[in-house]
């Protein structure tokens, strides 16, 4: 095939036809044609030559040119595409390194093999353009719902037609045992759009919690208009779900609006989710109150919230226990996902037994350590005293409110408590010294002898060791692995050292050792203060 005036116009017509069919830019098709013609020309003139082709967008005329670049003599490698300054002076005036000499060469005739190669280049470029367009079309649609048509099912995965390409609904993203036949209409949530070597991959889901949230947004105008906000969603796909909502208009009930007239709105979502039961719960900033709502329909007697550990303890009547836990733990599991907290459920009887055991343990501590009778020790525990330190260092007035305690008795109690604490401190320090603890750590302000002993048992024996610790190694923390939260015990956790306390102590140790400039700490604090004020 020769590029002659007879078929020049056909290039433009072909480019436009292909672009129209594939819904891509005609310019991309013409660029592919230019590349394919250049490849064919190289096979005729030599593969080492820099042959370029330019197609005029107005009349389809293809111009073939050879490009040679001026390079330094020592860098000359390709004699067909490069030449030195001396060689270039025959063709150019005052040539300089980096300049190019361009000359037109005769068009080539494309044989059968060259034409086939050119066709492959064009098809490849068109496919790449299609993939780029599909990625651009869908990259901003992640997190939305799409209506698609089923094309086929492969090993349980459903391949669907999304208009400009295909998307995949994986087997584990289907609800229950859903099955589809070719040409079925399907509604899915676009979970992720990735650009991969073989083209954009569009991953769909029907089990993602946000799929349900988006369905409610479609059914409830108040959510679409941001009058009602979905704060949290938890699902056991195909079985049960919980959704927490809040209204920013006092005149609109968020739960009622989501339910709809005679349940019409929520029923539309339920039908789409294959009959999944949905509990719609009012959101509350107060976490214990929100949890009580989340555990519906079970009734809750008491809630104890440990904010640092992100754990919450719920006490329910005996007859409500199975309802609170739910079938196979479903109700409490969904409530935990909704609140983001670990939930322990106890019956009133179990909680009472535990409280009694704690009461007896503390009473025994005071009986043994302070040489008190059982009745007096119980009085101390009843008044809220839990440790010897509280007795030893509390204001005397707080002891005088206990029946039968006068000033002399209070002084005696505190003296006994301090003697016991001093003895424990001396023993702890002796044990720490035996383990090899150095004076630098003993002298560190803020660490008690018991803390130093605990650190020594964990291998922290010098100020340098202490300064290299992470905050969670001292205060404890939580690690999330594959969605499971694992408790990390801290060396000083039994002494109620918080993460903030641990951070301060570690940074103080680093300053003392000269590892950190205290001026840097001051500037960091000032920057944090300024940013907080700006946010406020």
């Amino acid at each position: 095939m020769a590029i002659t005036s007879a078929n020049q116009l056909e290039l433009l017509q072909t480019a436009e036809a292909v672009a129209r069919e594939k819904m891509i830019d005609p310019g991309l098709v013409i660029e592919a044609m230019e590349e394919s013609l250049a490849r064919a020309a190289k096979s005729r003139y030599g593969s080492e030559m820099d042959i370029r082709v330019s197609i005029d967008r107005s009349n389809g005329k293809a111009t073939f040119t050879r490009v040679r670049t001026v390079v330094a003599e020592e860098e000359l490698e390709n004699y067909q595409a490069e030449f030195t300054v001396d060689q270039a002076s025959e063709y150019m005036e005052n040539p300089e390194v980096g300049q190019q000499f361009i000359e037109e060469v005769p068009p080539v005739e494309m044989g059968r093999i060259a034409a086939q190669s050119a066709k492959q280049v064009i098809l490849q470029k068109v496919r790449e353009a299609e993939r780029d367009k599909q990625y651009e079309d869908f990259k901003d649609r992640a997190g939305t719902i799409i209506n698609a048509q089923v094309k086929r099912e492969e090993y349980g995965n459903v391949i669907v037609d999304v208009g400009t390409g295909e998307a995949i609904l994986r087997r584990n993203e289907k609800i229950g045992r859903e099955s589809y036949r070719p040409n079925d209409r399907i509604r899915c949530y676009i979970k992720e759009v990735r650009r991969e070597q073989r083209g954009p991959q569009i991953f769909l889901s029907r089990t993602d919690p946000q799929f349900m949230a988006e369905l409610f947004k479609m059914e409830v105008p108040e959510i679409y208009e941001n009058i009602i906000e979905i704060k949290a969603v938890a699902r056991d796909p195909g079985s049960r779900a919980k959704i927490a909502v809040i209204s920013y208009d006092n005149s609109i009930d968020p739960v009622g609006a989501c339910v709809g007239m005679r349940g019409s709105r929520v029923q539309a979502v339920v039908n789409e989710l294959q009959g999944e039961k949905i509990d719609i719960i009012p959101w509350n900033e107060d976490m214990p109150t929100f949890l009580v709502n989340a555990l519906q329909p079970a009734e809750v007697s008491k809630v104890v919230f440990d904010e640092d550990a992100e754990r919450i303890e719920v006490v329910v009547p005996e007859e409500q226990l199975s309802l609170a836990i739910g079938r196979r733990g479903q109700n409490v599991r969904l409530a935990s996902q909704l609140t983001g907290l670990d939930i322990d459920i106890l019956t009133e009887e179990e909680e009472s037994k535990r409280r009694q055991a704690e009461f007896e343990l503390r009473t025994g501590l005071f009986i043994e350590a302070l040489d008190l009778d059982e009745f007096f020790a119980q009085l101390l525990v009843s008044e809220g005293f839990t440790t010897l330190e509280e007795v030893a260092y509390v204001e005397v007035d707080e002891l005088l409110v206990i029946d039968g305690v006068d000033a002399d008795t209070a002084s005696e109690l505190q003296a006994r408590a301090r003697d016991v604490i001093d003895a424990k401190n001396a023993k702890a320090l002796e044990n720490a010294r035996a383990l090899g603890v150095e004076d630098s750590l003993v002298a560190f302000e803020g660490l008690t002898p018991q803390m130093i002993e605990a650190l020594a048992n964990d291998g922290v024996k010098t100020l340098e060791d202490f300064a290299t610790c992470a905050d969670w190694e001292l205060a404890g923390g939580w690690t999330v692995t594959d969605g499971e939260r694992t408790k990390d015990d801290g060396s000083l956790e039994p002494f109620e050292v918080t993460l903030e306390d641990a951070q301060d102590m570690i940074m103080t140790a680093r300053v003392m050792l000269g590892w950190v400039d205290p001026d840097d700490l001051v500037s960091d604090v000032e920057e944090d203060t300024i940013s907080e004020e700006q946010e406020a």
Side-chain angles (χ1 to χ4, degrees):
M1 182 183 79
I3 306 298
T4 65
S5 58
N7 57 30
Q8 286 173 354
L9 202 55
E10 289 183 17
L11 289 176
L12 295 181
Q13 292 171 344
T14 303
E16 289 177 1
V18 172
R20 192 161 46 249
E21 179 186 348
K22 302 295 185 179
M23 292 186 293
I24 59 177
D25 183 2
L28 295 174
V29 181
I30 293 176
E31 288 176 13
M33 289 178 171
E34 290 173 339
E35 185 175 328
S36 65
L37 291 172
R39 182 174 295 187
K42 283 184 179 182
S43 67
R44 166 68 177 80
Y45 288 112
S47 60
E48 292 186 349
M49 284 193 181
D50 185 1
I51 302 294
R52 303 178 188 180
V53 178
S54 175
I55 297 176
D56 191 313
R57 268 55 170 176
S58 60
N59 56 27
K61 181 181 179 183
T63 303
F64 290 70
T65 56
R66 177 188 181 188
V67 179
R68 281 184 283 182
T69 305
V70 181
V71 298
E73 188 169 352
E74 64 274 10
E75 295 178 0
L76 181 63
E77 293 180 357
N78 184 350
Y79 293 91
Q80 300 292 342
E82 300 170 343
F83 52 7
T84 64
V85 174
D86 290 341
Q87 293 170 336
S89 60
E90 296 181 25
Y91 307 94
M92 306 167 63
E93 290 185 9
N94 303 320
E96 294 180 2
V97 173
Q99 287 184 329
Q100 291 182 330
F101 175 68
I102 301 172
E103 59 181 334
E104 191 171 339
V105 295
V108 298
E109 286 194 4
M110 297 178 69
R112 182 177 59 83
I113 295 175
Q116 186 67 25
S117 175
K119 180 180 178 182
Q120 290 299 324
V121 171
I122 293 173
L123 289 175
Q124 179 64 24
K125 284 289 184 182
V126 168
R127 276 196 295 267
E128 289 175 3
E130 281 186 290
R131 290 169 180 170
D132 288 341
K133 183 178 186 303
Q134 185 181 0
Y135 179 75
E136 291 299 323
D137 287 346
F138 282 92
K139 69 176 183 178
D140 297 325
R141 294 182 64 182
T144 63
I145 287 178
I146 188 171
N147 290 302
Q149 188 173 31
V150 175
K151 292 185 72 173
R152 62 189 182 278
E153 191 163 350
E154 297 176 351
Y155 307 106
N157 302 320
V158 179
I159 310 301
V160 302
D161 184 354
V162 291
T164 58
E166 293 181 347
I168 181 170
L169 176 65
R170 287 176 171 167
R171 180 171 49 191
N172 62 337
E173 296 290 350
K174 296 192 294 184
I175 298 174
R177 296 182 179 179
E178 286 181 326
S179 62
Y180 299 96
R181 292 175 296 181
N183 299 321
D184 282 354
R185 302 299 298 180
I186 185 173
R187 185 184 287 181
C188 299
Y189 176 77
I190 302 178
K191 189 172 184 178
E192 186 181 8
V193 181
R194 290 204 302 258
R195 188 198 290 272
E196 296 186 355
Q197 193 167 2
R198 57 181 176 173
Q201 296 294 297
I202 303 168
F203 297 97
L204 306 177
S205 175
R206 285 176 56 80
T207 60
D208 193 285
Q210 290 306 311
F211 179 46
M212 187 174 74
E214 290 296 315
L215 288 173
F216 269 104
K217 187 181 291 186
M218 295 171 67
E219 296 293 337
V220 184
E222 291 87 348
I223 296 177
Y224 182 80
E225 294 167 1
N226 295 321
I227 298 171
I228 294 174
E229 182 184 356
I230 298 172
K231 298 290 285 186
V233 183
R235 287 182 67 193
D236 193 349
S239 178
R240 190 165 187 171
K242 292 179 183 285
I243 180 169
V245 292
I246 185 172
S247 173
Y248 296 111
D249 186 336
N250 293 332
S251 64
I252 296 177
D253 171 27
V255 176
C258 291
V259 171
M261 186 71 70
R262 296 180 182 176
S264 59
R265 291 175 174 176
V266 71
Q267 193 57 47
V269 177
V270 169
N271 292 340
E272 180 63 42
L273 300 179
Q274 305 294 324
E276 193 170 308
K277 295 178 182 178
I278 301 174
D279 296 332
I280 303 173
I281 297 160
W283 169 269
N284 197 301
E285 291 290 342
D286 180 59
M287 193 54 68
T289 303
F290 178 44
L291 181 64
V292 170
N293 295 338
L295 281 172
Q296 291 175 359
E299 296 177 4
V300 176
S301 305
K302 181 181 177 183
V303 174
V304 180
F305 182 31
D306 185 347
E307 194 167 357
D308 290 334
E310 293 187 347
R311 293 185 69 85
I312 201 159
E313 201 172 80
V314 177
V315 181
V316 298
E318 183 73 35
E319 65 275 10
Q320 293 286 317
L321 181 62
S322 60
L323 194 60
I325 295 174
R327 185 181 179 186
R328 297 178 183 173
Q330 186 184 64
N331 194 53
V332 68
R333 184 173 65 252
L334 290 176
S336 179
Q337 292 174 15
L338 203 66
T339 58
L341 300 169
D342 285 335
I343 301 172
D344 292 330
I345 295 185
L346 303 173
T347 64
E348 291 175 341
E349 182 180 354
E350 289 172 336
E351 198 248 352
S352 177
K353 286 180 179 177
R354 195 185 67 179
R355 285 173 54 196
Q356 184 62 33
E358 290 176 355
F359 186 86
E360 291 174 359
L361 180 66
R362 290 167 183 165
T363 299
L365 169 69
F366 290 141
I367 291 173
E368 182 181 351
L370 302 180
D371 192 22
L372 301 176
D373 60 38
E374 184 177 3
F375 176 74
F376 202 95
Q378 289 176 346
L379 277 178
L380 281 177
V381 177
S382 300
E383 289 295 328
F385 291 94
T386 59
T387 64
L388 291 174
E389 283 76 13
E390 290 177 358
V391 176
Y393 303 112
V394 76
E395 293 291 333
V396 176
D397 291 343
E398 294 190 34
L399 290 170
L400 294 178
V401 300
I402 302 173
D403 290 340
V405 176
D406 55 21
D408 292 339
T409 305
S411 297
E412 177 64 22
L413 273 176
Q414 290 195 316
R416 289 185 189 181
R418 288 168 184 166
D419 288 344
V420 173
I421 291 170
D422 289 343
K424 284 186 174 182
N425 285 344
K427 182 64 176 174
L429 198 54
E430 181 183 340
N431 293 340
R433 297 277 192 193
L435 290 169
V437 169
E438 295 185 2
D439 290 340
S440 60
L441 189 62
V442 173
F444 185 79
E445 188 176 350
L447 292 178
T448 65
Q450 285 92 344
M451 290 180 181
I452 295 169
E453 182 184 18
L455 289 170
N457 285 325
D458 283 344
V460 180
K461 301 177 182 180
T462 67
L463 190 61
E464 287 80 0
D465 293 341
F466 185 74
T468 57
C469 289
D471 51 10
W472 62 267
E473 291 180 301
L474 301 182
W478 295 84
T479 301
V480 179
T481 306
D482 296 330
E484 293 291 327
R485 299 175 75 247
T486 307
K487 182 70 176 67
D488 297 316
D489 294 327
S491 303
L492 304 183
E493 192 172 355
F495 306 97
E496 298 183 356
V497 172
T498 65
L499 281 172
E500 290 77 13
D501 295 336
Q503 290 166 2
D504 289 343
M505 287 194 289
I506 292 168
M507 198 56 66
T508 300
R510 291 173 182 175
V511 170
M512 291 173 63
L513 291 167
W515 296 357
V516 176
D517 188 342
D519 292 337
D520 293 340
L521 294 179
V522 172
S523 61
D524 289 342
V525 171
E526 289 175 348
E527 287 178 7
D528 291 342
T529 304
I530 292 171
S531 62
E532 287 174 4
E533 290 175 351
Q534 289 174 341
E535 289 175 4

